[in-house]
Amino acid sequence: DWKGWGLDDYPLIIKKPMDLSLVQRKLEENAYSTPVDFATDVNLIWNNCMMYNEDGSDYYQVAERMKRFFESKMSTIMDPALFEDNSRIPTQGEKKAFSQNLYLISAEELGKVVQILDKKCDKAIRKIDPDDIEINVDLIDPKTFWVTSKFVADSLADRD
């Protein structure tokens, strides 16, 4: 409860507040029609926490762990892709990790990233010449960022 904590700037940063007491109330009132609705609200709690708190802070790290834990548990009863929030704005830390991971994937995989961005968010690509392309991560819209980030993460995971 942001009011109880005296976080007066919270509604300026977080446009759709959610907390565990509200989730509990909605559960008790049978307000969730599907598991996806429930998962969306719970993930909103973690995403809001990561958006409001500084990347790397204790609160941010706890929210990140809780999000991973929740998604791992929910994935046993439903497809994880159903409750991913592809509209959440990535944090600077997530953008930085994505940028660093681009250097770890193969040239072929990087070519696919460029194709995805060219098709879905061409403003993020600056074509200097046919062999030299710059990707401006800050210009990638959230939905495209998460799709592309997942592709890069999956590419790296396939190597393990």
Side-chain angles (χ1 to χ4, degrees), residues 98-99 102 110 113-114 117 124-126 133-138 140:
F98 171 76
S99 297
L102 289 176
L110 184 58
V113 168
V114 170
L117 292 174
I125 295 180
R126 184 171 152 237
I133 295 173
E134 287 183 0
I135 298 173
N136 186 334
V137 177
D138 292 322
I140 303 173

Side-chain angles (χ1 to χ4, degrees), residues 59-71:
Y59 290 113
Y60 185 98
Q61 290 175 357
V62 167
E64 213 171 27
R65 283 195 304 271
M66 294 299 293
K67 180 178 177 65
R68 282 194 306 268
F69 177 78
F70 177 74
E71 288 178 353

Side-chain angles (χ1 to χ4, degrees), residues 6-156:
L7 305 174
D8 299 329
D9 63 342
Y10 192 82
L12 301 173
I13 298 168
I14 303 301
K15 301 305 176 198
K16 190 175 177 188
M18 181 59 59
D19 61 66
L20 290 171
S21 63
L22 182 55
V23 170
Q24 181 178 3
R25 188 172 337 124
K26 289 173 84 171
L27 280 169
E28 290 168 353
E29 295 170 355
N30 292 317
Y32 293 114
S33 55
T34 68
V36 174
D37 295 337
F38 167 72
T40 299
D41 275 358
V42 173
N43 274 319
L44 185 58
I45 295 168
W46 317 135
N47 293 338
N48 285 349
C49 184
M50 290 186 294
M51 175 77 72
Y52 184 78
N53 293 286
E54 187 176 328
D55 193 3
S57 70
D58 289 343
Y59 290 113
Y60 185 98
Q61 290 175 357
V62 167
E64 213 171 27
R65 283 195 304 271
M66 294 299 293
K67 180 178 177 65
R68 282 194 306 268
F69 177 78
F70 177 74
E71 288 178 353
S72 73
K73 295 300 180 189
M74 287 300 291
S75 69
T76 63
I77 62 168
M78 60 186 267
D79 180 0
L82 293 174
F83 58 89
E84 289 177 358
D85 180 8
N86 288 335
S87 63
R88 181 177 66 82
I89 297 170
T91 65
Q92 286 303 106
E94 289 165 331
K95 289 178 183 180
K96 182 179 178 183
F98 171 76
S99 297
Q100 291 170 338
N101 286 340
L102 289 176
Y103 290 99
L104 303 176
I105 60 177
S106 71
E108 182 181 326
E109 292 162 336
L110 184 58
K112 289 180 183 176
V113 168
V114 170
Q115 287 175 349
I116 293 169
L117 292 174
D118 197 34
K119 182 178 178 184
K120 296 181 179 278
C121 190
D122 65 338
K123 67 183 179 191
I125 295 180
R126 184 171 152 237
K127 299 172 185 166
I128 298 167
D129 62 53
D131 294 326
D132 195 10
I133 295 173
E134 287 183 0
I135 298 173
N136 186 334
V137 177
D138 292 322
L139 294 179
I140 303 173
D141 64 85
K143 185 175 181 180
T144 304
F145 176 86
W146 294 116
V147 167
T148 311
S149 181
K150 182 173 180 0
F151 172 80
V152 171
D154 290 348
S155 297
L156 292 172

